[in-house]
Structures are given as C-alpha cells and as structure tokens.
Amino acid sequence: MKRKNRPVRLWAAAFWLLVWQGASMALAGTTGGRMLLLASPVQALGRLLALAGTGAFWQSVAFSSARILGGFFLACALAAVLSALACRLRWVRELLSPLVAVVKAVPVVSFIILALIFLSSENLSLLISGLMVFPPVYLNLLEGIEHADRQLLEMARVFRVPLGRQLRGIYLPAVLPYFRSAVSLGLGLCWKSGAAAEVIGLPAGSVGEALYTAKVYFQTGDLFAWTAVIVAVSVLSEKLLLRLLDAAVRKAGG
Amino acid sequence: MEIVVRHLCKSFGDKAVLRDVTFTAGRGITAVMAPSGTGKTTLLRILLGLERADSGTVEGLAGKQLSAVFQEDRLLEHLSAEGNLRFVLGRAYDPDAARALLARLDLPDTGDQIVREFSGGMRRRLALARALLAPFDALLLDEPFTGLDRENRDRALAAVRETAGDRSVLLVTHDPDDAAGCRVVRL
C-alpha cells in the first residue's frame, strides 16, 4: 500500500517534543529543578488550557484577530482594485512597482517603528499585516489577470459581452487559482508580522502584549501557550479561507 | 448590405500575409477560398476589428454588429453549452430558440453538458450555434465546418443559410466542398 505523503509524521513530531522535554529538564537542573528558562511541553499545554478558561484570553484573541485579519482583507481588496487598474493602465503598474519592491525588501520592524511615530499602537497590527500581505496578493492577482485567455477576451469583444459578464466568465476563473496561492502565503505572513507589530507596539489587550508580558516575567509556559494560539488561529483561518476559495474555484471552473 | 474590401495589405515583420486583397461580398454567403496559410484568418481578424491592416480599406462594417466563428472554438470550457450561449447573449438568450438550433445541429439535450466533455465536432457546432443565435448584421466564419462529417456539415451550412437570410456572410475556407453553392472569392 502506498504511504500517504503527510507534511509532518507523528514519530517526527514526537521526537522533537521529546527533545524539547529533555532540554527543559536539562535547563531545570541549572535552576534548582524549576523549569524557569524553558517550560516543558506539558507545562505549556497546562498554561494554554488555564488561559483558555479566562475571558481575557478570548478578548485578546478577538482583538488581535480582528486587526490582523482586517489588515489582510483590506490588503486583498486594495490589491484587487490596484491590480485590475495596473493591467489596464501601464502608468499605475509603473507607479506601484517601486513601492511593492520596497515593501518586499524592507524588514518589517522598520515599518513597525516608523508607523509607531505616526500611529497609535492600537491599530498598528492592522496596518503592518496589511502592508506585508499587499505585495504577494497584488503580484499574484496581476499574474492571474494577465493569464486570462486572450482568445476568449477577443471573442467577448466581438460579441460585445459586457464587462461584468467577462469578469465572471473569463477573468474570475483565471485569477482564482493565483489568488488562492496568495491567500495561503499571505495569511501566514500577516499573522507573523501582525504579532511582531503588537509585541513592539504593545496595544493593550492584544496577543502581542501577552507575549511581551510573558517574556518580561520569564513565563515561558505562557510564551509557548500564546505562540501556539497564534499558530492555531493562523492555520485555522488559512484552512477556512482556502476551503471557501476552493469552493469558489470549483464553481467558477478554474 | 455589402462588405467592400479594397487593396488590403498586411505583413508580420518581413512576411507579407495579405497582398492587395480586393473583393466585394454582397447579401448571402460569400466563400473566401485560399490554401492554408495564405492569410484567410488574418483577413477575418481585420474585418472583425481584431487586427489592423497596413494599408487598404474595408467598407460596410463600421458600427455594425458582427458575429463570428473563429478558427479556434473559443468556448468557456468550465461552462455548459447553455452557459456559453448565455455568456454571449445575456438577457436575449431564448431557451426555445437555443434548444431548436442545437437539435438542428445534432446537439440535442446537450444544454446542461459541460463543454469540457464535448468532442471536437460538438464544440465546433456549439461555436456555430453561438454565432447564429447572437444578433448580427454580418456573419464571419473561419473554417466553421472543420472536423464535421459530411452530414453534419450539410446540416450546419443549411442552418447558416436559413439564419443569415439576406444578411452578409463571409465564409473563409480552404475546402471546395464547404463553398458548394456559394459565391466564391479566391485570394
């Protein structure tokens, strides 16, 4: 029987958890048996369960999710409009080209620090996650639009098919697979950059603030618990959005 | 209505594709005949406004609604036959007229079938049905019967004659059988 090509095999995950446990115990030996420097996997899980039982935990998750995913959706909307314009108007593409290159190349912390000069920390993660997501989504959409079938577009032109119908029938099936890749890449990016922005900006009641507090008080259990939360929400939102997109791709026949 | 083509020339780089083409197509079907690779498709693309001629003039098509069968089928693969017709016709889509024409072209009960599953001959006939159902002042057909057997070709040609009536039809072909009974212009 052919073995499934899973990205993570159970034995490999178990191995690294054991390494983590071993490292935690070894470091505990240097601090009189107390796992201060590196919490064990069991401690981290315990802290996660304890935190999940509090209202403040869910408020923090909601606060950060709203801003980080908000930034993601705003960036997608902006990228959709600008990529459509850039395909029609050469000067729009030329104008955006250096901006996209700069956003791709400049480290995210530089943007975070710069943005903090002008903005309150509360909505910093919205701006930063949007900024990081915009280039891949814009570039992928641009490529998708350019891959729209020229022969079908000519056919639509001859038959005088209205633009709305062309968008649904020709452009959408061409663009959706590219948009899917961009979403998959962008969602991971926006959670990483959004969390980094919160850790630096420290907006009250955010996941980033909780991470920072855990670092200051050496609460490595909390640090791992909050990190697990970020990973979980990131993966969940990606899976949910990709499932919705796959349904749209199937419907559009892309 | 007449389509008047005068001294049309077109080159791609050093290669001259059309050299001083002149003809007039009146009402009914005019077959434009030439061997393969002698610029028939380029001529049709110029008449459809998809290509610009280097020199020469075309009269009689400005502002007119054109319909066409292209050299390729140019169908939306992910849509059904009906979806393809609706894509072009929009609210003007008449299910009864579409069903009748599809049946006449030997495509009965295929309206719901996805085009991806169609054979080459079925695609060609659907492309022809689309061109015939769309409103037009002039109909331009580029090798529309490619891949059809004699029976289906005769059916298709009869449908073109009947639908077009006395409107102008330009039928580009390399096959003398396609042009049977039509006025013929040789490039």
Short mmCIF file of all heavy atoms in Angstrom, two decimals, chain A residues 76-140:
data_model
loop_
_atom_site.label_atom_id
_atom_site.label_comp_id
_atom_site.label_asym_id
_atom_site.label_seq_id
_atom_site.Cartn_x
_atom_site.Cartn_y
_atom_site.Cartn_z
N CYS A 76 -6.24 42.68 0.58
CA CYS A 76 -6.77 41.91 -0.56
C CYS A 76 -7.65 42.80 -1.42
O CYS A 76 -7.57 42.76 -2.67
CB CYS A 76 -7.56 40.70 -0.08
SG CYS A 76 -6.51 39.39 0.55
N ALA A 77 -8.51 43.58 -0.76
CA ALA A 77 -9.43 44.45 -1.51
C ALA A 77 -8.63 45.49 -2.31
O ALA A 77 -8.88 45.72 -3.50
CB ALA A 77 -10.40 45.14 -0.55
N LEU A 78 -7.65 46.09 -1.65
CA LEU A 78 -6.83 47.11 -2.31
C LEU A 78 -6.03 46.50 -3.47
O LEU A 78 -5.92 47.07 -4.56
CB LEU A 78 -5.87 47.73 -1.28
CG LEU A 78 -5.14 48.99 -1.71
CD1 LEU A 78 -6.13 50.14 -1.92
CD2 LEU A 78 -4.10 49.41 -0.67
N ALA A 79 -5.49 45.30 -3.23
CA ALA A 79 -4.71 44.62 -4.27
C ALA A 79 -5.59 44.27 -5.46
O ALA A 79 -5.14 44.37 -6.61
CB ALA A 79 -4.07 43.36 -3.70
N ALA A 80 -6.84 43.90 -5.21
CA ALA A 80 -7.75 43.55 -6.31
C ALA A 80 -8.00 44.77 -7.19
O ALA A 80 -7.92 44.70 -8.42
CB ALA A 80 -9.06 43.01 -5.75
N VAL A 81 -8.28 45.90 -6.54
CA VAL A 81 -8.57 47.13 -7.30
C VAL A 81 -7.32 47.58 -8.06
O VAL A 81 -7.38 47.87 -9.27
CB VAL A 81 -9.06 48.25 -6.34
CG1 VAL A 81 -9.19 49.58 -7.08
CG2 VAL A 81 -10.39 47.87 -5.72
N LEU A 82 -6.19 47.62 -7.35
CA LEU A 82 -4.97 48.16 -7.98
C LEU A 82 -4.42 47.22 -9.06
O LEU A 82 -3.88 47.69 -10.07
CB LEU A 82 -3.91 48.44 -6.91
CG LEU A 82 -4.24 49.63 -6.01
CD1 LEU A 82 -3.17 49.82 -4.95
CD2 LEU A 82 -4.39 50.93 -6.82
N SER A 83 -4.56 45.90 -8.88
CA SER A 83 -4.06 45.00 -9.93
C SER A 83 -4.91 45.12 -11.19
O SER A 83 -4.38 45.06 -12.30
CB SER A 83 -4.02 43.55 -9.43
OG SER A 83 -5.30 43.14 -9.03
N ALA A 84 -6.22 45.31 -11.01
CA ALA A 84 -7.09 45.49 -12.18
C ALA A 84 -6.71 46.79 -12.90
O ALA A 84 -6.62 46.82 -14.14
CB ALA A 84 -8.55 45.53 -11.74
N LEU A 85 -6.47 47.85 -12.11
CA LEU A 85 -6.07 49.13 -12.71
C LEU A 85 -4.70 49.01 -13.39
O LEU A 85 -4.50 49.52 -14.50
CB LEU A 85 -5.98 50.22 -11.63
CG LEU A 85 -7.29 50.90 -11.26
CD1 LEU A 85 -7.06 51.85 -10.09
CD2 LEU A 85 -7.86 51.68 -12.44
N ALA A 86 -3.78 48.30 -12.73
CA ALA A 86 -2.42 48.17 -13.26
C ALA A 86 -2.40 47.41 -14.58
O ALA A 86 -1.55 47.64 -15.44
CB ALA A 86 -1.52 47.48 -12.24
N CYS A 87 -3.37 46.48 -14.74
CA CYS A 87 -3.44 45.74 -16.01
C CYS A 87 -3.95 46.63 -17.14
O CYS A 87 -3.59 46.44 -18.30
CB CYS A 87 -4.38 44.55 -15.85
SG CYS A 87 -3.48 43.12 -15.32
N ARG A 88 -4.81 47.58 -16.80
CA ARG A 88 -5.37 48.48 -17.81
C ARG A 88 -4.45 49.66 -18.09
O ARG A 88 -4.33 50.10 -19.23
CB ARG A 88 -6.73 49.01 -17.34
CG ARG A 88 -7.80 47.97 -17.30
CD ARG A 88 -8.85 48.25 -18.32
NE ARG A 88 -9.60 47.04 -18.64
CZ ARG A 88 -10.45 46.94 -19.61
NH1 ARG A 88 -10.67 47.96 -20.40
NH2 ARG A 88 -11.11 45.83 -19.85
N LEU A 89 -3.87 50.19 -17.01
CA LEU A 89 -3.09 51.43 -17.14
C LEU A 89 -1.62 51.17 -16.79
O LEU A 89 -1.31 50.85 -15.64
CB LEU A 89 -3.64 52.52 -16.20
CG LEU A 89 -5.14 52.80 -16.32
CD1 LEU A 89 -5.64 53.62 -15.15
CD2 LEU A 89 -5.44 53.53 -17.63
N ARG A 90 -0.79 51.31 -17.79
CA ARG A 90 0.62 51.00 -17.60
C ARG A 90 1.26 51.87 -16.53
O ARG A 90 2.08 51.40 -15.73
CB ARG A 90 1.34 51.20 -18.95
CG ARG A 90 2.71 50.62 -18.96
CD ARG A 90 3.33 50.63 -20.34
NE ARG A 90 4.67 50.10 -20.27
CZ ARG A 90 4.96 48.81 -20.20
NH1 ARG A 90 3.98 47.93 -20.19
NH2 ARG A 90 6.20 48.39 -20.13
N TRP A 91 0.84 53.15 -16.50
CA TRP A 91 1.47 54.07 -15.54
C TRP A 91 1.15 53.68 -14.11
O TRP A 91 1.96 53.89 -13.19
CB TRP A 91 1.10 55.52 -15.83
CG TRP A 91 -0.35 55.87 -15.63
CD1 TRP A 91 -1.33 55.88 -16.57
CD2 TRP A 91 -0.99 56.26 -14.40
NE1 TRP A 91 -2.53 56.23 -16.02
CE2 TRP A 91 -2.35 56.49 -14.69
CE3 TRP A 91 -0.55 56.44 -13.09
CZ2 TRP A 91 -3.27 56.87 -13.72
CZ3 TRP A 91 -1.47 56.83 -12.12
CH2 TRP A 91 -2.80 57.05 -12.44
N VAL A 92 0.00 53.05 -13.85
CA VAL A 92 -0.33 52.61 -12.49
C VAL A 92 0.64 51.49 -12.08
O VAL A 92 1.18 51.49 -10.98
CB VAL A 92 -1.80 52.10 -12.41
CG1 VAL A 92 -2.08 51.48 -11.04
CG2 VAL A 92 -2.76 53.23 -12.68
N ARG A 93 0.89 50.57 -13.01
CA ARG A 93 1.83 49.48 -12.74
C ARG A 93 3.23 50.03 -12.47
O ARG A 93 3.90 49.61 -11.52
CB ARG A 93 1.87 48.53 -13.93
CG ARG A 93 2.84 47.40 -13.72
CD ARG A 93 2.97 46.56 -14.95
NE ARG A 93 1.74 45.87 -15.24
CZ ARG A 93 1.67 44.65 -15.74
NH1 ARG A 93 2.76 44.00 -15.99
NH2 ARG A 93 0.52 44.08 -15.98
N GLU A 94 3.64 51.01 -13.30
CA GLU A 94 4.98 51.58 -13.13
C GLU A 94 5.09 52.34 -11.81
O GLU A 94 6.11 52.29 -11.13
CB GLU A 94 5.31 52.50 -14.31
CG GLU A 94 5.60 51.70 -15.57
CD GLU A 94 5.68 52.55 -16.83
OE1 GLU A 94 5.47 53.78 -16.74
OE2 GLU A 94 5.93 51.98 -17.90
N LEU A 95 4.00 53.01 -11.45
CA LEU A 95 3.97 53.78 -10.20
C LEU A 95 4.07 52.85 -8.98
O LEU A 95 4.77 53.15 -8.01
CB LEU A 95 2.66 54.58 -10.15
CG LEU A 95 2.55 55.63 -9.06
CD1 LEU A 95 3.46 56.81 -9.35
CD2 LEU A 95 1.11 56.12 -8.94
N LEU A 96 3.37 51.72 -9.05
CA LEU A 96 3.33 50.82 -7.90
C LEU A 96 4.58 49.93 -7.79
O LEU A 96 4.90 49.45 -6.71
CB LEU A 96 2.09 49.92 -7.99
CG LEU A 96 0.76 50.62 -7.73
CD1 LEU A 96 -0.39 49.66 -7.97
CD2 LEU A 96 0.69 51.12 -6.29
N SER A 97 5.24 49.74 -8.92
CA SER A 97 6.36 48.80 -8.96
C SER A 97 7.43 49.08 -7.89
O SER A 97 7.81 48.17 -7.14
CB SER A 97 6.95 48.79 -10.37
OG SER A 97 8.10 48.05 -10.39
N PRO A 98 7.95 50.33 -7.77
CA PRO A 98 8.96 50.56 -6.72
C PRO A 98 8.42 50.40 -5.31
O PRO A 98 9.11 49.89 -4.42
CB PRO A 98 9.42 52.01 -6.95
CG PRO A 98 8.53 52.59 -7.97
CD PRO A 98 7.71 51.51 -8.59
N LEU A 99 7.15 50.78 -5.13
CA LEU A 99 6.53 50.67 -3.80
C LEU A 99 6.46 49.21 -3.36
O LEU A 99 6.83 48.85 -2.23
CB LEU A 99 5.12 51.26 -3.86
CG LEU A 99 4.41 51.42 -2.53
CD1 LEU A 99 5.00 52.57 -1.74
CD2 LEU A 99 2.93 51.67 -2.74
N VAL A 100 6.03 48.36 -4.29
CA VAL A 100 5.92 46.92 -3.98
C VAL A 100 7.31 46.34 -3.71
O VAL A 100 7.49 45.55 -2.77
CB VAL A 100 5.22 46.19 -5.16
CG1 VAL A 100 5.31 44.67 -4.99
CG2 VAL A 100 3.76 46.60 -5.25
N ALA A 101 8.29 46.76 -4.52
CA ALA A 101 9.66 46.25 -4.33
C ALA A 101 10.20 46.65 -2.96
O ALA A 101 10.83 45.85 -2.27
CB ALA A 101 10.56 46.77 -5.44
N VAL A 102 9.93 47.90 -2.55
CA VAL A 102 10.41 48.39 -1.25
C VAL A 102 9.74 47.63 -0.11
O VAL A 102 10.41 47.17 0.82
CB VAL A 102 10.15 49.92 -1.13
CG1 VAL A 102 10.29 50.38 0.31
CG2 VAL A 102 11.11 50.69 -2.02
N VAL A 103 8.42 47.46 -0.20
CA VAL A 103 7.70 46.75 0.88
C VAL A 103 8.21 45.32 1.00
O VAL A 103 8.33 44.77 2.10
CB VAL A 103 6.17 46.78 0.63
CG1 VAL A 103 5.44 45.94 1.67
CG2 VAL A 103 5.66 48.20 0.68
N LYS A 104 8.54 44.70 -0.15
CA LYS A 104 9.04 43.33 -0.12
C LYS A 104 10.43 43.25 0.52
O LYS A 104 10.76 42.27 1.20
CB LYS A 104 9.13 42.78 -1.55
CG LYS A 104 7.80 42.19 -2.04
CD LYS A 104 7.86 41.85 -3.50
CE LYS A 104 8.69 40.63 -3.78
NZ LYS A 104 8.75 40.33 -5.23
N ALA A 105 11.26 44.30 0.28
CA ALA A 105 12.66 44.22 0.69
C ALA A 105 12.92 44.72 2.11
O ALA A 105 13.80 44.21 2.80
CB ALA A 105 13.53 45.00 -0.31
N VAL A 106 12.16 45.74 2.53
CA VAL A 106 12.45 46.37 3.83
C VAL A 106 11.99 45.46 4.97
O VAL A 106 10.90 44.88 4.92
CB VAL A 106 11.73 47.75 3.91
CG1 VAL A 106 11.83 48.34 5.30
CG2 VAL A 106 12.33 48.69 2.88
N PRO A 107 12.82 45.32 6.03
CA PRO A 107 12.41 44.47 7.17
C PRO A 107 11.15 45.02 7.84
O PRO A 107 10.98 46.24 7.94
CB PRO A 107 13.60 44.56 8.12
CG PRO A 107 14.72 45.09 7.33
CD PRO A 107 14.16 45.88 6.21
N VAL A 108 10.32 44.11 8.30
CA VAL A 108 9.03 44.51 8.86
C VAL A 108 9.20 45.41 10.09
O VAL A 108 8.41 46.34 10.30
CB VAL A 108 8.16 43.26 9.17
CG1 VAL A 108 8.75 42.40 10.23
CG2 VAL A 108 6.76 43.66 9.56
N VAL A 109 10.26 45.18 10.86
CA VAL A 109 10.43 46.01 12.07
C VAL A 109 10.66 47.48 11.73
O VAL A 109 10.24 48.37 12.47
CB VAL A 109 11.61 45.51 12.95
CG1 VAL A 109 11.24 44.28 13.71
CG2 VAL A 109 12.87 45.30 12.15
N SER A 110 11.28 47.75 10.58
CA SER A 110 11.48 49.15 10.18
C SER A 110 10.14 49.83 9.96
O SER A 110 9.92 50.97 10.39
CB SER A 110 12.29 49.22 8.88
OG SER A 110 13.52 48.57 9.05
N PHE A 111 9.22 49.11 9.31
CA PHE A 111 7.88 49.67 9.11
C PHE A 111 7.16 49.85 10.44
O PHE A 111 6.46 50.84 10.65
CB PHE A 111 7.05 48.75 8.20
CG PHE A 111 7.41 48.86 6.75
CD1 PHE A 111 7.94 47.79 6.07
CD2 PHE A 111 7.22 50.06 6.06
CE1 PHE A 111 8.28 47.89 4.73
CE2 PHE A 111 7.56 50.16 4.71
CZ PHE A 111 8.09 49.08 4.06
N ILE A 112 7.33 48.89 11.33
CA ILE A 112 6.63 48.95 12.62
C ILE A 112 7.09 50.20 13.39
O ILE A 112 6.28 50.98 13.89
CB ILE A 112 6.89 47.67 13.45
CG1 ILE A 112 6.28 46.45 12.76
CG2 ILE A 112 6.31 47.81 14.85
CD1 ILE A 112 6.68 45.11 13.35
N ILE A 113 8.40 50.39 13.45
CA ILE A 113 8.93 51.53 14.21
C ILE A 113 8.53 52.86 13.57
O ILE A 113 8.11 53.80 14.24
CB ILE A 113 10.47 51.40 14.35
CG1 ILE A 113 10.78 50.21 15.27
CG2 ILE A 113 11.08 52.67 14.92
CD1 ILE A 113 12.19 49.70 15.18
N LEU A 114 8.60 52.89 12.24
CA LEU A 114 8.19 54.10 11.52
C LEU A 114 6.72 54.39 11.75
O LEU A 114 6.32 55.53 12.03
CB LEU A 114 8.48 53.92 10.03
CG LEU A 114 8.26 55.14 9.15
CD1 LEU A 114 9.29 56.22 9.46
CD2 LEU A 114 8.35 54.77 7.67
N ALA A 115 5.89 53.35 11.67
CA ALA A 115 4.45 53.54 11.83
C ALA A 115 4.11 54.00 13.24
O ALA A 115 3.17 54.78 13.44
CB ALA A 115 3.72 52.23 11.53
N LEU A 116 4.88 53.55 14.23
CA LEU A 116 4.62 53.94 15.62
C LEU A 116 4.82 55.43 15.86
O LEU A 116 4.27 56.00 16.79
CB LEU A 116 5.53 53.14 16.56
CG LEU A 116 4.93 51.83 17.07
CD1 LEU A 116 5.96 51.06 17.86
CD2 LEU A 116 3.70 52.08 17.93
N ILE A 117 5.64 56.06 14.99
CA ILE A 117 5.86 57.51 15.12
C ILE A 117 4.58 58.26 14.78
O ILE A 117 4.25 59.27 15.38
CB ILE A 117 7.02 57.96 14.21
CG1 ILE A 117 8.32 57.28 14.65
CG2 ILE A 117 7.17 59.48 14.21
CD1 ILE A 117 9.48 57.46 13.69
N PHE A 118 3.84 57.71 13.83
CA PHE A 118 2.66 58.43 13.34
C PHE A 118 1.34 57.89 13.86
O PHE A 118 0.33 58.58 13.87
CB PHE A 118 2.62 58.38 11.80
CG PHE A 118 3.84 58.98 11.16
CD1 PHE A 118 4.86 58.17 10.67
CD2 PHE A 118 3.98 60.36 11.06
CE1 PHE A 118 5.99 58.72 10.09
CE2 PHE A 118 5.10 60.92 10.47
CZ PHE A 118 6.11 60.10 9.99
N LEU A 119 1.34 56.63 14.26
CA LEU A 119 0.07 55.97 14.60
C LEU A 119 0.03 55.54 16.05
O LEU A 119 1.07 55.33 16.67
CB LEU A 119 -0.11 54.70 13.75
CG LEU A 119 -0.45 54.84 12.28
CD1 LEU A 119 -0.50 53.46 11.66
CD2 LEU A 119 -1.80 55.53 12.10
N SER A 120 -1.23 55.39 16.57
CA SER A 120 -1.35 54.79 17.90
C SER A 120 -1.09 53.29 17.74
O SER A 120 -1.25 52.73 16.66
CB SER A 120 -2.76 55.02 18.44
OG SER A 120 -3.66 54.19 17.75
N SER A 121 -0.70 52.67 18.84
CA SER A 121 -0.34 51.25 18.74
C SER A 121 -1.56 50.36 18.54
O SER A 121 -1.44 49.23 18.09
CB SER A 121 0.41 50.83 20.00
OG SER A 121 -0.44 50.97 21.12
N GLU A 122 -2.75 50.89 18.84
CA GLU A 122 -3.96 50.05 18.82
C GLU A 122 -4.21 49.42 17.45
O GLU A 122 -4.56 48.25 17.35
CB GLU A 122 -5.17 50.89 19.25
CG GLU A 122 -6.37 50.03 19.58
CD GLU A 122 -7.57 50.87 20.00
OE1 GLU A 122 -7.36 51.95 20.59
OE2 GLU A 122 -8.68 50.46 19.72
N ASN A 123 -4.05 50.23 16.40
CA ASN A 123 -4.33 49.69 15.07
C ASN A 123 -3.06 49.43 14.26
O ASN A 123 -3.14 49.27 13.03
CB ASN A 123 -5.24 50.67 14.31
CG ASN A 123 -6.62 50.71 14.94
OD1 ASN A 123 -7.17 49.67 15.30
ND2 ASN A 123 -7.14 51.91 15.11
N LEU A 124 -1.95 49.35 14.94
CA LEU A 124 -0.67 49.14 14.26
C LEU A 124 -0.64 47.80 13.51
O LEU A 124 -0.20 47.72 12.37
CB LEU A 124 0.46 49.17 15.31
CG LEU A 124 1.87 49.01 14.77
CD1 LEU A 124 2.27 50.22 13.94
CD2 LEU A 124 2.86 48.83 15.92
N SER A 125 -1.17 46.75 14.18
CA SER A 125 -1.11 45.42 13.55
C SER A 125 -1.96 45.36 12.29
O SER A 125 -1.65 44.62 11.36
CB SER A 125 -1.53 44.34 14.53
OG SER A 125 -2.78 44.63 15.09
N LEU A 126 -3.03 46.16 12.25
CA LEU A 126 -3.87 46.20 11.05
C LEU A 126 -3.06 46.74 9.87
O LEU A 126 -3.04 46.15 8.78
CB LEU A 126 -5.09 47.10 11.31
CG LEU A 126 -6.15 47.15 10.22
CD1 LEU A 126 -7.55 47.07 10.85
CD2 LEU A 126 -6.08 48.43 9.42
N LEU A 127 -2.35 47.84 10.11
CA LEU A 127 -1.54 48.45 9.04
C LEU A 127 -0.40 47.53 8.63
O LEU A 127 -0.18 47.29 7.44
CB LEU A 127 -0.99 49.80 9.52
CG LEU A 127 -0.01 50.45 8.55
CD1 LEU A 127 -0.76 51.08 7.38
CD2 LEU A 127 0.86 51.49 9.23
N ILE A 128 0.31 47.00 9.61
CA ILE A 128 1.50 46.21 9.30
C ILE A 128 1.14 44.90 8.60
O ILE A 128 1.76 44.52 7.60
CB ILE A 128 2.33 45.94 10.59
CG1 ILE A 128 2.88 47.28 11.14
CG2 ILE A 128 3.45 44.96 10.33
CD1 ILE A 128 3.79 48.04 10.20
N SER A 129 0.12 44.21 9.09
CA SER A 129 -0.25 42.95 8.44
C SER A 129 -0.75 43.23 7.02
O SER A 129 -0.40 42.50 6.08
CB SER A 129 -1.29 42.18 9.26
OG SER A 129 -2.47 42.92 9.36
N GLY A 130 -1.51 44.30 6.85
CA GLY A 130 -1.98 44.67 5.51
C GLY A 130 -0.83 44.98 4.58
O GLY A 130 -0.80 44.56 3.42
N LEU A 131 0.14 45.70 5.11
CA LEU A 131 1.31 46.11 4.31
C LEU A 131 2.11 44.88 3.85
O LEU A 131 2.60 44.83 2.73
CB LEU A 131 2.19 47.01 5.17
CG LEU A 131 3.17 47.95 4.47
CD1 LEU A 131 2.44 48.91 3.55
CD2 LEU A 131 3.99 48.71 5.49
N MET A 132 2.24 43.91 4.74
CA MET A 132 3.03 42.72 4.39
C MET A 132 2.28 41.81 3.41
O MET A 132 2.89 41.12 2.60
CB MET A 132 3.36 41.92 5.66
CG MET A 132 4.34 42.60 6.59
SD MET A 132 5.94 42.91 5.78
CE MET A 132 5.92 44.69 5.65
N VAL A 133 0.96 41.84 3.48
CA VAL A 133 0.16 40.96 2.63
C VAL A 133 -0.01 41.55 1.22
O VAL A 133 -0.12 40.82 0.24
CB VAL A 133 -1.23 40.72 3.29
CG1 VAL A 133 -2.21 40.11 2.32
CG2 VAL A 133 -1.07 39.82 4.49
N PHE A 134 -0.02 42.87 1.14
CA PHE A 134 -0.32 43.52 -0.14
C PHE A 134 0.58 43.05 -1.30
O PHE A 134 0.04 42.66 -2.36
CB PHE A 134 -0.26 45.05 0.01
CG PHE A 134 -0.51 45.77 -1.28
CD1 PHE A 134 -1.79 45.89 -1.79
CD2 PHE A 134 0.55 46.28 -2.02
CE1 PHE A 134 -2.02 46.52 -3.01
CE2 PHE A 134 0.34 46.91 -3.23
CZ PHE A 134 -0.95 47.03 -3.73
N PRO A 135 1.91 43.05 -1.16
CA PRO A 135 2.73 42.69 -2.34
C PRO A 135 2.43 41.30 -2.93
O PRO A 135 2.20 41.21 -4.14
CB PRO A 135 4.17 42.78 -1.82
CG PRO A 135 4.10 43.71 -0.68
CD PRO A 135 2.78 43.46 -0.04
N PRO A 136 2.41 40.22 -2.11
CA PRO A 136 2.14 38.93 -2.76
C PRO A 136 0.75 38.83 -3.39
O PRO A 136 0.60 38.25 -4.46
CB PRO A 136 2.29 37.90 -1.63
CG PRO A 136 2.22 38.66 -0.37
CD PRO A 136 2.69 40.04 -0.67
N VAL A 137 -0.24 39.44 -2.73
CA VAL A 137 -1.60 39.35 -3.29
C VAL A 137 -1.67 40.17 -4.58
O VAL A 137 -2.19 39.70 -5.60
CB VAL A 137 -2.66 39.83 -2.26
CG1 VAL A 137 -4.05 39.84 -2.88
CG2 VAL A 137 -2.64 38.94 -1.03
N TYR A 138 -1.13 41.37 -4.55
CA TYR A 138 -1.15 42.25 -5.74
C TYR A 138 -0.42 41.57 -6.91
O TYR A 138 -0.95 41.51 -8.03
CB TYR A 138 -0.49 43.59 -5.38
CG TYR A 138 -0.15 44.46 -6.56
CD1 TYR A 138 -1.13 45.21 -7.19
CD2 TYR A 138 1.15 44.53 -7.04
CE1 TYR A 138 -0.82 46.00 -8.29
CE2 TYR A 138 1.48 45.32 -8.13
CZ TYR A 138 0.49 46.06 -8.75
OH TYR A 138 0.81 46.83 -9.84
N LEU A 139 0.77 41.04 -6.64
CA LEU A 139 1.57 40.44 -7.73
C LEU A 139 0.89 39.18 -8.28
O LEU A 139 0.88 38.96 -9.50
CB LEU A 139 2.99 40.12 -7.24
CG LEU A 139 3.85 41.36 -6.95
CD1 LEU A 139 5.15 40.96 -6.29
CD2 LEU A 139 4.13 42.16 -8.22
N ASN A 140 0.32 38.37 -7.40
CA ASN A 140 -0.36 37.16 -7.88
C ASN A 140 -1.61 37.49 -8.68
O ASN A 140 -1.88 36.85 -9.70
CB ASN A 140 -0.74 36.26 -6.69
CG ASN A 140 0.37 35.30 -6.36
OD1 ASN A 140 1.54 35.64 -6.50
ND2 ASN A 140 0.02 34.12 -5.93
#
